[in-house]
Amino acid sequence: MNNKGKTALIFGVRNDSSIAWHVAKKLFDSGCNVAISYVPDTEAEVKALLLANDMGDVLTASVDVRSEQQIQDFVQRAVVQHGKIDHILHGVAFGNHKVMCSTMPGSQEEPPRYIDIPFDDLVDSFNISAYSLLRICRVTEPHLAPAASILTLSYNASQRVFPGYAGMSINKAALENIMIYLAQYFGVSGIRVNAISAGLVMTTSAGGIKGVRQLRKIGKHTAPLGNIKAEDVADAAMYYFSPLSQKVTGNIHYVDGGFNIMGVTMDEPVNA
């Protein structure tokens, strides 16, 4: 796939387990000019990762997606250096354990009750995990290339109950709704907006979900194709960042080994 001369903004790289990282790497390898945002506590790890992959010249910035000004500064740097924006990946999500109604893996404490989710904590997690897509699109709108592609990352908890994810499921449901309305909004400009609903990948964020390994075990035996890896999501993302998807918008694309179609657990999974 050839993305030479195109520019991508990647929001949400933390380390080499991040789905956003694998998307960024595939785009870079396809010839794309990549600009990557991170949060301050991951700066050293992200920059070391880029150096280790011969990407040391990639534009990077610390961006708090709650700040429109920080997004504007990042976008402006990318536009000055590379020109119009062709691709955007929104891979940002955060909710504390009060929002997730979970405790740290190994903890013997009782998890917070769903009915007790603190309003302010939930609003902050919504701001980061869902509303930030709207904010990023608002800031980048004047700088988007014709036929640009915007992609966000969701999770099946938007539709189903995962007790260890709880309030974050509210954010994913909201994110998917924001995505479809943005798809309609940008349609007149020929810009497409889609989401990938990824299966459970062992990212840093997933590691904070109590019972995550049990969920992976369930996925292994339930999904017809078994569990997925971050690279599988990145492969699907490349379709959305190519002309092959030029008439696809408002879509929620499941990359979860088929987990979302199942109602019962399989006895013999096809693939682990």
Side-chain angles (χ1 to χ4, degrees):
M1 193 167 292
N2 184 4
N3 273 293
K4 189 172 183 179
K6 295 185 180 294
T7 298
L9 301 183
I10 309 294
F11 294 88
V13 174
R14 291 187 61 89
N15 50 42
D16 62 358
S17 72
S18 303
I19 292 172
W21 160 248
H22 289 275
V23 175
K25 182 66 167 62
K26 284 187 178 291
L27 282 169
F28 179 83
D29 289 344
S30 71
C32 196
N33 299 311
V34 176
I36 291 174
S37 82
Y38 52 79
V39 292
D41 64 329
T42 65
E43 178 177 3
E45 192 167 3
V46 169
K47 289 188 174 180
L49 183 60
L50 292 172
L51 286 171
N53 286 271
D54 298 321
M55 296 170 64
D57 293 334
V58 163
L59 189 157
T60 62
S62 173
V63 178
D64 183 341
V65 294
R66 294 170 293 191
S67 167
E68 195 143 335
Q69 186 61 56
Q70 289 190 30
I71 296 170
Q72 286 176 345
D73 292 344
F74 175 54
V75 170
Q76 190 60 40
R77 285 180 59 197
V79 170
V80 168
Q81 187 165 328
H82 298 301
K84 290 285 189 177
I85 299 162
D86 299 277
H87 311 313
I88 297 174
L89 178 74
H90 174 269
V92 182
F94 173 78
N96 65 26
H97 289 284
K98 292 179 182 178
V99 171
M100 296 173 76
C101 300
S102 183
T103 56
M104 290 299 293
S107 172
Q108 299 305 310
E109 295 181 13
E110 285 293 318
R113 301 189 309 165
Y114 181 81
I115 203 167
D116 294 327
I117 294 175
F119 177 76
D120 289 342
D121 293 46
L122 180 61
V123 168
D124 188 53
S125 71
F126 168 80
N127 193 359
I128 296 169
S129 307
Y131 187 82
S132 60
L133 175 62
L134 195 63
R135 185 179 291 116
I136 288 167
C137 287
R138 180 165 61 245
V139 171
T140 57
E141 183 178 14
H143 308 290
L144 293 174
S149 178
I150 300 166
L151 186 65
T152 189
L153 301 177
S154 192
Y155 180 47
N156 195 219
S158 65
Q159 306 293 325
R160 299 186 183 189
V161 175
F162 291 81
Y165 204 64
M168 284 299 293
S169 301
I170 299 171
N171 295 327
K172 290 302 186 185
L175 177 67
E176 292 177 4
N177 189 264
I178 289 170
M179 180 275 294
I180 62 173
Y181 272 83
L182 284 171
Q184 185 276 328
Y185 173 81
F186 279 118
V188 68
S189 304
I191 293 164
R192 55 203 192 275
V193 188
N194 293 284
I196 289 180
S197 183
L200 189 60
V201 175
M202 287 303 293
T203 62
T204 299
S205 298
I209 304 173
K210 189 170 185 178
V212 65
R213 297 193 183 281
Q214 181 65 20
L215 286 173
R216 285 279 293 178
K217 185 177 180 181
I218 292 169
K220 176 180 178 180
H221 291 285
T222 302
L225 298 178
N227 284 321
I228 68 161
K229 300 177 293 185
E231 294 94 325
D232 299 318
V233 185
D235 285 340
M238 292 301 286
Y239 161 73
Y240 286 100
F241 293 139
S242 81
L244 295 174
S245 62
Q246 62 184 333
K247 287 295 183 180
V248 180
T249 198
N251 191 41
I252 299 173
H253 183 131
Y254 287 93
V255 182
D256 61 0
F259 180 84
N260 72 93
I261 68 171
M262 299 303 294
V264 295
T265 301
M266 295 173 61
D267 293 328
E268 295 290 337
V270 173
N271 188 20

